[in-house]
Amino acid sequence: MKIAVLGAGNMGSALLGGILRAGVVQAAEVRATTKSEARAAGLRERWGVAASAGGNSAAAAGAEVVVLAVKPGTVPKVVREIRDVLHEEQILISLAAALPISVIEDAAACRMPVFRAMPNIPVVVEEGAIGICHNSMATGAHRELVESLFRGVGVTAFVEEEQMDAVTALSGSGPAYIYMVIEAMAAAGVKMGLSREVSMRLSEQTVLGAAKHARASGLHPAILRDQVITPGGTTIAAIHELERHGLRSMLISAIETATIHAGKRTDVLLAEIEKQKHT
Ligand SMILES: NC(=O)c1ccc[n+]([C@@H]2O[C@H](COP(=O)([O-])OP(=O)(O)OC[C@H]3O[C@@H](n4cnc5c(N)ncnc54)[C@H](OP(=O)(O)O)[C@@H]3O)[C@@H](O)[C@H]2O)c1
């Protein structure tokens, strides 16, 4: 599979690294672009891929899959730049947060499969959670191909485009919530007299282990939680405190608020893109 990653910055290069490590594509089949030569040189050195500052059209021309990894406001400009080389046999994948597929379709002016993916930052350790949606030109084979790419960096879930704001709020921003949990649990350990190093180690591993156990068991988290509780024991005393402070309700409200905010970001982005058209 020949793949072009246009705008291989933080997220683009994380995806690139993941798919190369997973062997989904070979370095010789990849072309990456950036804005600066320094970033392109870094990509050539680190991954052994062809990388250039600019040259989006040349990179897209020979690719079966074109990944748009520039900032959301730059995506329409880059798609217009490559539109002459785009064709129906290719697949476009946008990583841009908040940017609707329709904007990309308009800029591409080509009836081709367009996917929109929302990865999260743990893709850098190949443990990302990636929500994916697509337009009506995408077939089952296209979905499988796109899924195989993202499986190199994590776990995928297909959703409808109108659900992408919820994906953004849940898993896109989710690592930030969990980092806060890790931080707070480690602080509690320090308060109770553990060393910082031991506290952080135990806190991180507890989050990692609980997530792995939840997935491996296939059981609802409420059942797993009950299995840890001894009547009259320590865990139920702590859970009572968490319930009293509304941990679950707090997270539900936070993700609800973030979903609404994500929708507003789309409105702002669309207004910005409209303005760009007239300047
Ligand atoms: N970071 C995340 O956690 C995350 C999560 C989900 C989705 N995303 C999405 O991923 C996309 C990229 O985000 P990011 O955090 O990776 O940003 P980033 O690090 O700034 O990467 C953007 C890259 O685009 C390059 N670039 C700018 N203009 C270009 C052009 N005209 N042609 C080719 N390359 C160009 C930049 O090159 P230089 O480096 O040379 O300036 C940079 O490497 C965004 O659309 C964002 O919404 C990011």
Side-chain angles (χ1 to χ4, degrees):
M1 188 197 315
K2 285 189 166 56
I3 177 164
V5 181
L6 310 184
N10 291 321
M11 189 45 80
S13 57
L15 177 64
L16 193 59
I19 59 179
L20 286 170
R21 275 193 298 266
V24 183
V25 290
Q26 304 305 311
E29 308 296 313
V30 177
R31 293 201 57 174
T33 67
T34 60
K35 194 171 182 184
S36 65
E37 174 50 31
R39 171 75 86 164
L43 292 167
R44 288 194 295 270
E45 195 178 317
R46 176 138 193 232
W47 302 114
V49 298
S52 58
N56 290 326
S57 289
E64 289 152 66
V65 176
V66 179
V67 180
L68 304 163
V70 291
K71 291 285 190 195
T74 313
V75 169
K77 180 177 155 275
V78 167
V79 176
R80 280 196 298 274
E81 188 186 329
I82 62 173
R83 78 201 291 175
D84 290 345
V85 301
L86 291 177
H87 56 84
E88 291 167 14
E89 304 301 314
Q90 291 172 309
I91 298 174
L92 263 186
I93 306 176
S94 164
L95 306 183
L99 188 75
I101 288 176
S102 59
V103 173
I104 298 166
E105 288 175 326
D106 284 353
C110 171
R111 287 174 56 77
M112 65 192 299
V114 181
F115 285 75
R116 176 177 162 194
M118 171 48 67
N120 65 5
I121 204 62
V123 294
V124 298
V125 289
E126 286 130 53
E127 289 290 356
I130 305 118
I132 308 173
C133 62
H134 54 76
N135 68 358
S136 60
M137 303 306 293
T139 63
H142 295 134
R143 278 167 64 113
E144 270 171 39
L145 191 145
V146 170
E147 197 175 15
S148 75
L149 280 179
F150 284 108
R151 263 203 308 264
V153 288
V155 169
T156 58
F158 281 97
V159 298
E160 296 301 322
E161 187 167 26
E162 54 270 25
Q163 296 174 317
M164 285 300 267
D165 290 343
V167 169
T168 304
L170 174 64
S171 52
S173 305
Y177 321 148
I178 302 304
Y179 299 142
M180 283 177 80
V181 169
I182 294 172
E183 179 194 6
M185 285 176 62
V190 171
K191 184 175 184 195
M192 293 301 116
L194 297 177
S195 73
R196 283 185 178 78
E197 198 203 335
V198 165
S199 266
M200 190 54 80
R201 200 173 154 82
L202 296 181
S203 179
E204 285 166 355
Q205 183 58 29
T206 300
V207 170
L208 186 65
K212 275 194 166 177
H213 185 206
R215 175 171 302 154
S217 70
L219 294 172
H220 191 280
I223 295 173
L224 294 173
R225 186 194 59 203
D226 256 17
Q227 288 174 353
V228 183
I229 293 174
T230 312
T234 311
T235 310
I236 191 65
I239 283 175
H240 183 205
E241 280 300 303
L242 293 174
E243 292 290 31
R244 203 159 65 80
H245 292 283
L247 176 76
R248 284 185 297 169
S249 176
M250 214 183 331
L251 280 170
I252 292 168
S253 291
I255 292 169
E256 184 180 36
T257 302
T259 303
I260 295 165
H261 192 83
K264 288 184 188 156
R265 275 199 62 200
T266 297
D267 297 340
V268 171
L269 187 59
L270 291 179
E272 204 180 288
I273 289 168
E274 202 47 44
K275 218 157 116 193
Q276 279 174 18
K277 279 188 195 162
H278 304 291
T279 51

